[in-house]
Amino acid sequence: MTPLLAMFAETKLVRLSAVDVIIVAFYFGLVLVIGWYLKARANTGEDFFLAGREMTAWIAGLSFLSANLGALELMGWAASAYQYGILAVHWYWIGAIPAMIFLGLVMMPFYYISKTHSVPGYLKLRFGESSRALSAVSFAFMTVLMSGINMYSMALVMKVVLGWDIHFSIWVSSLTVAIYVALGGLRSAIFNEVLQFILIWAGALLIPILGLVEAGGWTNLKHQIAQNASAEYTHVWSNLGSFNANPMGIHWTGIVFGLGFIISFGYWTTDFLVVQRVLAAKDLRSAKLAPIIGAAFKMLVPFIVILPGLLGLAVLPMKLTGEGAAVANGGHSYNEVLPLMLARYCGPGLLGLGVTALIAGFMSGMAGNVSAFTTVWTYDIYRAFVNKNAGDHHYVVMGRWTTVLGVLISVGTAYLVMSFASIMDYVQALFSFFIAPLFGTVVLGMLWKRASGAGGFWGLLAGTLSSIGMWAWVKVDPAALRYVALSPNAKDMAENMYRALWSWIVCVLVTVIVSYATKPKSNDELVGLVYGVTDVPHETAVPLYYKPAFWAVVVGIGFVILNILFW
Amino acid sequence: MGKGGISIWFFIGLSLLVNGVLILGAGIWEWIHPPADPVVLFQFHAGVWWGALLLAAGIFYTFHYAPWQTVS
């Protein structure tokens, strides 16, 4: 047993009954049946890598959200809500909604019209081969590593919650994902993600409902949280005027500009893991509407994630602590708040559905990683640099085998992390290095026709290197935090946000300077790729409710109202 | 959804239907045979009404999107 694993006591939070096991087993069986059924419809590259580009806005939108809605996301943010209060909701509202709307209305037309298979593929069309190579290699590498880390973390959760053997969890879940994605390609991943999305809601929704009943409603809940923790725990914005005035140690500028602008826009508009789902939409209107549908549901996710964490503060009889203190004192950690709430209210059957929701969340995230990795490897690395002239069938076969290989690399990473836990921190930091600069490169490429190929490449490289440099600077000299994060009191999250902001600015500045010093592409070469030279089709002479822009306004109004309500 | 294939909503309906039957059944069983160590708010019998809700949604989606009903 590894040291990290040994930290967890040999106890389990919940005990499954026979009916719970049947529900979990039925879920595994169903996802495999779906993969097997869809195998017959994954014969061409367009089928396998882009699901035939025939998804409705609803399917693409729910899948877009589900690929992000992993089990660790559910449990991690519930834990953050218990630890930091309702501030955690920023990662669902300002940290997602504006970016999703921007993706739908502004960026999707170019991704879609260009007929690219991937985000690196768009960079190739817009900036050239070198930009594609840089983003494809970094994305493929980081995606499988992240997938492995999530796999290991999830197996650890299953060990703690259910007492399952960690090797059993890793191999059963990863092989299931490998089988259904390798068989049915992106269509199978998307089908299962939509199923998983429904199961997550069906399994998790009872917790906030019964929790609010037990707490006596929202007003009583706030009173109890004020008594047990602090009244600040139920305010979203009013305590962000100073780094010291809130439990996260963060300032509103970090939330608005770092999280709300750079990190959020970087992730939701350029991370191919989520963008790939929208590229599978059947037409441009569906592609524009899908992220807006995703945004509407994203706004509601705090109800099943953040609220259970807050309810835990009010109704749980024990005080949860950090991981270290929990191990030392034999108590429960913040990360266990969601399973504890599940066990509190859910009897046989419901418990099985709740556990299925957690497993479904993990598998949807993993399938997202694997299918995105497969596409980028096959089209942006293998076809671009290894074998350019093979037939379509060859690339489909390559995609199937890459799916299996990607899962095996992820499993390898999971075992690596099991032995060297510190790898997890480094890889998560590494992943953040690429997101913010990539957003700078893609958004300039779409909105500024003067951006040249050299500008795009050197801007992306400079932004990435500057992010790595700032991270290393703080590691070597912690006092540098006052410059990178604008305050010596800033905590990890705040540092990440400001580092993202600076690296984005570096990327944009270098792109602009190099672009003015080098030759731009002609307008003819930019048609379908950039605003100003592309004729973007608009919905005319259709009812208002048919237009994505209308629904974007509706979601935007909901977003503003929620922020004011919980100010 | 999809050209000529079984709709994803059929699979979702099937999942809700089976889960609904199992949860409703377990909830009724517990109502008749209360456990020695019940969950909090056991008196609301969440398994019964939640299971019934899932079952109703499952029946609707399974039959509305059944392969023999629609090719969409």
Side-chain angles (χ1 to χ4, degrees):
Chain A
M1 186 179 288
T2 64
L4 190 65
L5 186 54
M7 282 167 46
F8 292 90
E10 287 296 320
T11 56
K12 47 189 174 184
L13 295 183
V14 299
R15 186 176 297 276
L16 298 184
S17 64
V19 71
D20 297 320
V21 174
I22 293 171
I23 286 174
V24 174
F26 174 74
Y27 165 74
F28 274 93
L30 187 61
V31 297
L32 289 173
V33 165
I34 291 174
W36 177 79
Y37 165 70
L38 292 175
K39 179 179 182 296
R41 301 179 63 199
N43 298 318
T44 68
E46 190 87 342
D47 284 337
F48 191 85
F49 298 105
L50 280 171
R53 283 192 192 260
E54 60 180 35
M55 298 298 130
T56 63
W58 276 93
I59 301 294
L62 295 183
S63 166
F64 169 74
L65 185 55
S66 184
N68 162 264
L69 200 61
L72 295 174
E73 158 112 0
L74 300 176
M75 295 180 55
W77 284 112
S80 293
Y82 186 96
Q83 195 175 357
Y84 301 117
I86 203 172
L87 279 181
V89 85
H90 284 304
W91 273 257
Y92 289 87
W93 291 351
I94 196 167
I97 307 306
M100 290 171 150
I101 291 174
F102 186 79
L103 171 67
L105 296 186
V106 179
M107 296 177 75
M108 268 332 288
F110 298 101
Y111 280 137
Y112 201 82
I113 292 172
S114 68
K115 292 288 177 192
T116 181
H117 286 90
S118 66
V119 173
Y122 174 81
L123 290 183
K124 190 262 177 185
L125 296 172
R126 178 64 183 86
F127 292 119
E129 208 62 87
S130 51
S131 296
R132 159 154 82 177
L134 178 60
S135 67
V137 170
S138 59
F139 177 83
F141 181 64
M142 299 315 304
T143 299
V144 286
L145 289 187
M146 282 301 289
S147 176
I149 285 174
N150 288 339
M151 185 188 296
Y152 170 67
S153 305
M154 183 61 198
L156 210 54
V157 166
M158 288 296 129
K159 170 83 181 165
V160 175
V161 176
L162 300 170
W164 286 0
D165 179 71
I166 204 157
H167 305 287
F168 172 83
S169 295
I170 285 178
W171 283 103
V172 168
S173 57
S174 61
L175 287 179
T176 305
V177 170
I179 291 169
Y180 78 69
V181 178
L183 287 173
L186 182 62
R187 187 184 276 109
S188 179
I190 287 178
F191 265 48
N192 277 308
E193 280 158 6
V194 176
L195 170 67
Q196 287 147 0
F197 180 84
I198 302 292
L199 288 176
I200 287 168
W201 277 90
L205 190 57
L206 260 184
I207 296 174
I209 293 173
L210 293 172
L212 279 175
V213 170
E214 186 186 3
W218 174 248
T219 306
N220 281 342
L221 173 63
K222 284 202 296 185
H223 289 314
Q224 290 174 57
I225 291 174
Q227 282 176 352
N228 296 348
S230 163
E232 293 172 358
Y233 274 51
T234 49
H235 292 284
V236 172
W237 289 104
S238 61
N239 305 312
L240 293 181
S242 145
F243 284 94
N244 299 319
N246 60 81
M248 270 191 184
I250 200 162
H251 191 257
W252 69 268
T253 54
I255 291 285
V256 172
F257 298 112
L259 173 65
F261 183 48
I262 304 301
I263 291 180
S264 163
F265 276 67
Y267 177 75
W268 288 105
T269 67
T270 63
D271 191 325
F272 185 53
L273 162 68
V274 286
V275 172
Q276 185 180 27
R277 273 74 197 137
V278 191
L279 285 176
K282 65 178 182 176
D283 53 33
L284 180 56
R285 177 184 169 270
S286 300
K288 289 167 74 175
L289 196 53
I292 294 163
I293 291 172
F297 282 98
K298 184 75 175 176
M299 270 196 308
L300 302 177
V301 172
F303 194 68
I304 56 169
V305 177
I306 307 298
L307 188 51
L310 294 175
L311 286 162
L313 277 168
V315 302
L316 286 179
M318 73 292 273
K319 181 86 176 165
L320 307 187
T321 61
E323 208 73 70
V327 172
N329 304 324
H332 295 286
S333 78
Y334 301 129
N335 292 326
E336 293 167 32
V337 65
L338 199 58
L340 281 170
M341 295 295 284
L342 191 66
R344 184 174 181 81
Y345 299 122
C346 295
L350 289 174
L351 197 56
L353 189 60
V355 169
T356 302
L358 292 179
I359 296 171
F362 163 69
M363 286 170 63
S364 65
M366 186 177 177
N369 277 315
V370 168
S371 54
F373 166 77
T374 298
T375 304
V376 168
W377 164 262
T378 306
Y379 278 126
D380 296 307
I381 298 175
Y382 180 75
R383 190 173 74 172
F385 303 106
V386 180
N387 187 353
K388 291 184 179 177
N389 301 314
D392 188 57
H393 178 70
H394 175 82
Y395 294 121
V396 173
V397 173
M398 171 59 68
R400 292 194 203 279
W401 282 109
T402 305
T403 301
V404 177
L405 189 68
V407 169
L408 291 178
I409 296 172
S410 300
V411 171
T413 305
Y415 278 98
L416 203 63
V417 176
M418 206 185 296
S419 304
F420 307 99
S422 58
I423 290 174
M424 196 182 297
D425 298 330
Y426 288 104
V427 174
Q428 281 169 344
L430 278 171
F431 195 73
S432 71
F433 297 151
F434 301 104
I435 286 293
L438 182 59
F439 171 58
T441 304
V442 172
V443 82
L444 277 179
M446 286 183 176
L447 302 182
W448 191 45
K449 66 179 184 179
R450 183 62 183 78
S452 68
F457 173 73
W458 289 108
L460 182 59
L461 188 62
T464 304
L465 292 178
S466 70
S467 185
I468 295 169
M470 283 181 278
W471 177 79
W473 187 20
V474 175
K475 280 280 173 200
V476 172
D477 176 15
L481 196 62
R482 70 174 63 241
Y483 304 111
V484 172
L486 302 180
S487 165
N489 299 320
K491 294 184 180 171
D492 286 352
M493 282 184 180
E495 184 200 339
N496 287 339
M497 285 175 206
Y498 282 102
R499 195 174 64 234
L501 184 58
W502 301 137
S503 64
W504 181 82
I505 290 172
V506 168
C507 169
V508 169
L509 285 177
V510 171
T511 304
V512 170
I513 292 167
V514 175
S515 291
Y516 275 124
T518 50
K519 190 180 167 203
K521 285 187 167 183
S522 68
N523 282 359
D524 289 344
E525 292 175 287
L526 297 177
V527 171
L529 301 171
V530 188
Y531 257 103
V533 294
T534 303
D535 184 22
V536 179
H538 291 285
E539 300 82 13
T540 52
V542 292
L544 194 61
Y545 61 81
Y546 196 80
K547 298 182 178 182
F550 169 73
W551 292 108
V553 170
V554 171
V555 171
I557 290 171
F559 164 72
V560 171
I561 290 173
L562 282 172
N563 277 279
I564 292 172
L565 274 178
F566 293 94
W567 188 272
Chain B
M1 197 235 7
K3 296 182 180 92
I6 299 175
S7 168
I8 175 59
W9 301 112
F10 170 74
F11 290 112
I12 288 170
L14 200 61
S15 173
L16 294 178
L17 192 152
V18 172
N19 283 317
V21 168
L22 291 170
I23 292 170
L24 177 62
I28 292 171
W29 175 265
E30 276 217 319
W31 198 339
I32 298 168
H33 304 96
D37 186 19
V39 294
V40 174
L41 300 181
F42 174 77
Q43 67 274 20
F44 289 119
H45 301 289
V48 175
W49 56 265
W50 197 249
L53 212 61
L54 295 182
L55 179 59
I59 289 171
F60 172 77
Y61 277 99
T62 303
F63 288 96
H64 188 73
Y65 291 98
W68 57 89
Q69 295 273 13
T70 177
V71 180
S72 59

